[in-house]
Amino acid sequence: MLSFNYKCSQCDTVYEISPELMLCPDCSCRHKPGQPLSGVLEVELKGTLTSSNPLEFLPVEAEFFPTIPVGNTPLWHPQNLVQKHGFPELYFKDDGVNPTGSLKDRASFLVAAFARKHAVREVVVASTGNAGSSMAGVGAAAGLKVKLVLPKTAPPAKMIQALQYGADVVLAEKNYDQAFALSLEYSRTRGGMNRNTAYNPMTIEGKKTVAIEIFNQLAADSAAGKAPDHVFVGVGDGVIISGIYKGFRDLLQLGRISKIPTIHAVQASGSAAIFRAMESGTFDGQAASTVADSISVDVPSNGLLALKNLRAHNGRCLTVTDDEILSAQQELSSNCGLFSEPAAATAYAGFLKQKSTLDSSEICVVLLTGNGLKDIASAAKKIVMPENAINSLDEI
Ligand SMILES: *Cc1c(COP(=O)(O)O)cnc(C)c1O
């Protein structure tokens, strides 16, 4: 049996898990405007576990899980790309097939279960995209009210997805920072659980299930499990990579694996705050701009923990251009029938850039975090639309 508590990722203070506690009270006081969150809490587990079921690694009991099939996504092993690159152990984890089309559902699922466990009826989230539509969909299945605070410039497709799931959408006049502040004020003064990414510790913890699934799926005998050598991940706020590290760290702690895989944090060159901080040690707040909107972030909310994890486990950080992202997206679709959104294809662009430095016999997993149909405008930049309609085949 496992037991769980929170631990501050900066000062290591241990806290009991509670729905009122989001950041370490001490470290969060030292937060400076324009910087990543301070005092992000991680869930720490104790005890032993024989099961390999990822849901049993979570700090909320199964009776509170909403009945929506999040996770358990396929691990592809597409022979065309395996042969093209000469990497017999190249795999793609397709999290774009989650119910709302992105890996964010793993976080929303655990936040929803956590809210239900503590009889919280409403969840509040500020988001520019997938996190909001994910919470709206998973929240609908969990019977929760979802309040979404979006900057008024948010992409209409993601707003429509959230409204379709029945979320209450409030528009912030200025930008994402304002939406973030308003959502915090709302949950503080009017109630509801806040699901802002990294701020709510369950967002990191929920995302770890993808690492445990990969471990289970790579073994021919799933009771055994097998760790990959490399995992490629598109990075914006740094929550997904921190969740992946957490999943592999849990597996290491429980004696299932003997080393943490090399994680490759892939950023768009126009949104590379973590890449720059890996070198300089500081977050400069530079305005981000990339075709991969889901990883376009000026100040990564989980930047400090992402950096700490990458440094502690010899992770690599690299950037790819928008053109490399769109080419990788197209290569993936046209070679194996996987249509991923640009932020997800970023991970594959990272593999393409790194592969000459890797041993081709190693196990490489590319994490595809979102579905391509979420953002058709970006994919349209690389394809040629048919122009003229015909009346007879002679005109072809
Ligand atoms: C959120 C998101 C990411 C990046 O996750 P971070 O935790 O912000 O680093 C990557 N791809 C997709 C599709 C996403 O929605």
Side-chain angles (χ1 to χ4, degrees):
M1 276 297 287
L2 295 175
S3 63
F4 302 89
N5 53 259
Y6 282 152
K7 186 172 179 181
C8 175
S9 61
Q10 274 173 273
C11 71
D12 288 345
T13 303
V14 170
Y15 299 93
E16 199 177 309
I17 293 180
S18 133
E20 279 83 40
L21 183 65
M22 293 284 160
L23 297 172
C24 170
D26 285 345
C27 294
S28 60
C29 288
R30 287 191 283 278
H31 174 255
K32 296 189 199 70
Q35 289 297 302
L37 292 173
S38 289
V40 168
L41 298 175
E42 281 194 289
V43 174
E44 187 181 47
L45 56 80
K46 291 207 179 73
T48 55
L49 182 71
T50 47
S51 163
S52 291
N53 178 354
L55 299 180
E56 291 186 36
F57 287 67
L58 296 176
V60 177
E61 297 76 9
E63 63 189 289
F64 302 107
F65 293 160
T67 48
I68 179 169
V70 169
N72 213 359
T73 57
L75 187 71
W76 292 46
H77 193 206
Q79 289 307 305
N80 290 341
L81 290 180
V82 162
Q83 272 153 26
K84 179 169 181 178
H85 300 303
F87 274 70
E89 301 273 10
L90 172 63
Y91 298 87
F92 294 84
K93 177 72 168 163
D94 185 16
D95 253 46
V97 301
N98 273 301
T100 79
S102 84
L103 186 144
K104 298 286 192 288
D105 285 353
R106 296 178 185 274
S108 301
F109 181 84
L110 184 59
V111 169
F114 188 51
R116 279 160 59 128
K117 174 169 174 167
H118 294 283
V120 176
R121 305 289 307 273
E122 185 174 17
V123 176
V124 188
V125 59
S127 159
T128 53
N130 288 337
S133 51
S134 168
M135 193 65 241
V138 176
L144 295 165
K145 269 180 73 179
V146 176
K147 168 106 32 209
L148 199 57
V149 189
L150 300 179
K152 76 172 184 201
T153 53
K158 311 211 171 171
M159 200 185 300
I160 288 166
Q161 194 188 4
L163 288 165
Q164 173 73 13
Y165 291 130
D168 187 11
V169 175
V170 178
L171 298 180
E173 180 68 37
K174 291 185 193 134
N175 55 10
Y176 176 71
D177 289 350
Q178 187 190 33
F180 195 96
L182 287 170
S183 77
L184 290 189
E185 189 184 336
Y186 186 95
S187 47
R188 221 175 18 239
T189 59
R190 311 217 175 160
M193 179 177 287
N194 197 293
R195 184 231 180 267
N196 287 358
T197 194
Y199 178 75
N200 186 323
M202 295 300 164
T203 56
I204 303 173
E205 184 69 3
K207 289 173 180 175
K208 79 179 183 182
T209 56
V210 74
I212 301 164
E213 284 178 19
I214 290 169
F215 165 78
N216 287 335
Q217 287 170 312
L218 281 174
D221 167 11
S222 68
K226 191 172 182 184
D229 297 300
H230 300 274
V231 184
F232 292 83
V233 194
V235 173
D237 276 312
V239 176
I240 294 180
I241 41 165
S242 300
I244 289 172
Y245 272 120
K246 179 58 170 41
F248 286 118
R249 276 163 41 213
D250 283 356
L251 289 167
L252 186 70
Q253 185 186 329
L254 293 169
R256 307 292 182 81
I257 60 175
S258 54
K259 67 167 181 42
I260 301 285
T262 303
I263 310 290
H264 300 254
V266 192
Q267 296 211 279
S269 50
S271 174
I274 292 178
F275 173 82
R276 290 192 302 273
M278 277 288 273
E279 302 195 332
S280 68
T282 58
F283 290 90
D284 54 25
Q286 230 180 76
S289 166
T290 165
V291 66
D293 70 302
S294 300
I295 51 170
S296 184
V297 177
D298 303 351
V299 181
S301 58
N302 203 35
L304 298 178
L305 178 54
L307 217 56
K308 180 179 170 179
N309 273 317
L310 285 164
R311 287 188 170 144
H313 302 288
N314 279 318
R316 298 190 202 162
C317 200
L318 66 149
T319 63
V320 291
T321 64
D322 278 5
D323 196 54
E324 287 171 317
I325 291 170
L326 293 176
S327 298
Q329 183 189 27
Q330 197 173 46
E331 182 179 307
L332 202 54
S333 304
S334 60
N335 280 280
C336 57
L338 262 165
F339 186 19
S340 287
E341 67 162 279
T346 299
Y348 182 49
F351 166 79
L352 295 177
K353 192 161 177 179
Q354 289 285 76
K355 68 174 181 170
S356 64
T357 70
L358 307 175
D359 173 347
S360 62
S361 67
E362 290 182 312
I363 304 176
C364 296
V365 176
V366 177
L367 182 59
L368 300 174
T369 41
N371 191 294
L373 290 172
K374 278 182 168 275
D375 180 12
I376 50 170
S378 296
K381 292 185 174 142
K382 274 273 170 185
I383 55 178
V384 182
M385 300 284 261
E387 267 179 25
N388 302 318
I390 60 164
N391 288 306
S392 105
L393 291 184
D394 297 340
E395 298 172 54
I396 291 178

